[in-house]
Amino acid sequence: MKLIDAHCHFDFPCFDGRRSNELNVASSNDVVGLVIPGVRRPDWARVRDTALGYSGLYYCLGIHPWFVREHSAGDLESLESALSARSERCVAVGECGLDRLHGDFSAQYPWFEAQVDLASKFGFPLIIHSVKAHDDVHVTLKRGGWGGRALVHGFSGSYQQAIKLVDQGCFIGIGGVITHPRARKTRDAVARLPLESLVLETDAPDMAPKGVEVGANSPVYLRKIFECLSEIRTEKTDYLASVLFANTCLLYGQSLW
């Protein structure tokens, strides 16, 4: 069995001094790799260097909706330059997106649209942060003529919202939310969605699974999320794992692991 953490903030300082150990423990739980999203331009070098420091790690570059006020048009130019350089470990644009619960929603729109355009220009997939904004994300992608691959990470919503995103070319990120029994709507959506649309993620150190302290999430717990997903789905465990692995490779455009 091979599992990939499709979205993990492994560059965050909370992992300093313990990354090798975390990866060793994760490996013993069938995790063979992970992808680190970028959220702010000042952090891009740290994101890149963290990925380059270990085998099986890849990264993305983007500007998160929470931090758009910290950036200027010059940062989009820098993002374009970095994407055009085509580093073999850089596999997507993101984390970008829309969030109705944090920050100025109207200010987020042009930054999201600009990053959708850059992903289209260079043929990269998108890593999308969407909080209470699934319909807005869908409309933005459709209006922009999006025809590539995208990950709506940390999905928490209804089946109807999810299937619209899937029909627009999105994969749905399955994380710690599904381990919480109160998340009935999301668990129902995950049970009914096409298996070919699902990928696993931790969003570590955030989005902690049940029984893990808030802010203490880690790639180590990806197996815990997978086991919960296997209880929700009807597929046999080995088949479920193999399809999730293939989905993640397809999302990021090549067989990386």
Side-chain angles (χ1 to χ4, degrees):
M1 183 182 298
K2 295 193 292 186
L3 305 176
I4 306 167
D5 191 342
H7 185 106
C8 174
H9 296 282
F10 203 53
D11 64 300
F12 279 16
C14 62
F15 290 109
D16 288 355
R18 58 190 185 97
R19 289 188 180 88
S20 294
N21 183 65
E22 292 289 305
L23 290 174
N24 288 337
V25 176
S27 177
S28 70
N29 284 283
D30 301 314
V31 179
V32 299
L34 57 85
V35 179
I36 308 171
V39 296
R40 300 165 62 248
R41 182 188 176 186
D43 301 336
W44 291 347
R46 187 183 71 201
V47 168
R48 180 197 63 222
D49 292 346
T50 301
L52 294 178
Y54 304 90
S55 63
L57 272 60
Y58 296 84
Y59 70 96
C60 320
L61 296 178
I63 298 170
H64 192 289
W66 290 4
F67 306 115
V68 296
R69 291 291 192 188
E70 299 178 16
H71 293 79
S72 67
D75 296 313
L76 284 175
E77 295 173 2
S78 295
L79 178 57
E80 182 170 5
S81 296
L83 296 173
S84 67
R86 292 283 180 180
S87 165
E88 66 178 23
R89 292 285 190 101
C90 183
V91 293
V93 176
E95 178 176 357
C96 58
L98 300 169
D99 191 323
R100 285 191 173 273
L101 297 185
H102 191 116
D104 183 343
F105 189 73
S106 62
Q108 298 169 15
Y109 250 108
W111 290 89
F112 181 40
E113 291 175 323
Q115 290 175 89
V116 172
D117 290 343
L118 285 175
S120 294
K121 178 177 179 177
F122 293 107
F124 278 103
L126 275 169
I127 308 304
I128 301 174
H129 172 102
S130 176
V131 175
K132 302 295 183 182
H134 297 324
D135 293 336
D136 304 280
V137 166
H138 175 260
V139 168
T140 303
L141 295 177
K142 188 172 184 179
R143 185 172 59 232
W146 178 253
R149 303 174 306 280
L151 168 63
V152 177
H153 103 86
F155 181 79
S156 179
S158 69
Y159 171 80
Q160 290 75 17
Q161 290 173 317
I163 203 66
K164 286 172 63 178
L165 292 165
V166 169
D167 289 343
Q168 194 61 44
C170 296
F171 289 85
I172 302 300
I174 308 303
V177 170
I178 67 165
T179 67
H180 299 278
R182 66 179 182 275
R184 294 186 183 90
K185 181 172 64 175
T186 301
R187 287 164 61 92
D188 173 71
V190 167
R192 297 167 59 193
L193 285 169
L195 176 56
E196 292 73 19
S197 69
L198 306 181
V199 300
L200 289 176
E201 62 167 304
T202 61
D203 194 30
D206 298 319
M207 211 162 70
K210 181 182 177 184
V212 177
E213 185 180 350
V214 173
N217 199 7
S218 160
V220 168
Y221 300 115
L222 192 69
R223 180 62 184 260
K224 183 182 182 78
I225 296 167
F226 171 75
E227 290 172 350
C228 180
L229 179 63
S230 68
E231 294 172 359
I232 295 172
R233 301 287 303 192
T234 60
E235 296 88 359
K236 291 185 178 179
T237 300
D238 287 347
Y239 179 71
L240 178 63
S242 68
V243 175
L244 292 169
F245 178 83
N247 291 349
T248 311
C249 291
L250 178 60
L251 165 64
Y252 289 114
Q254 53 188 304
S255 181
L256 303 173
W257 296 275

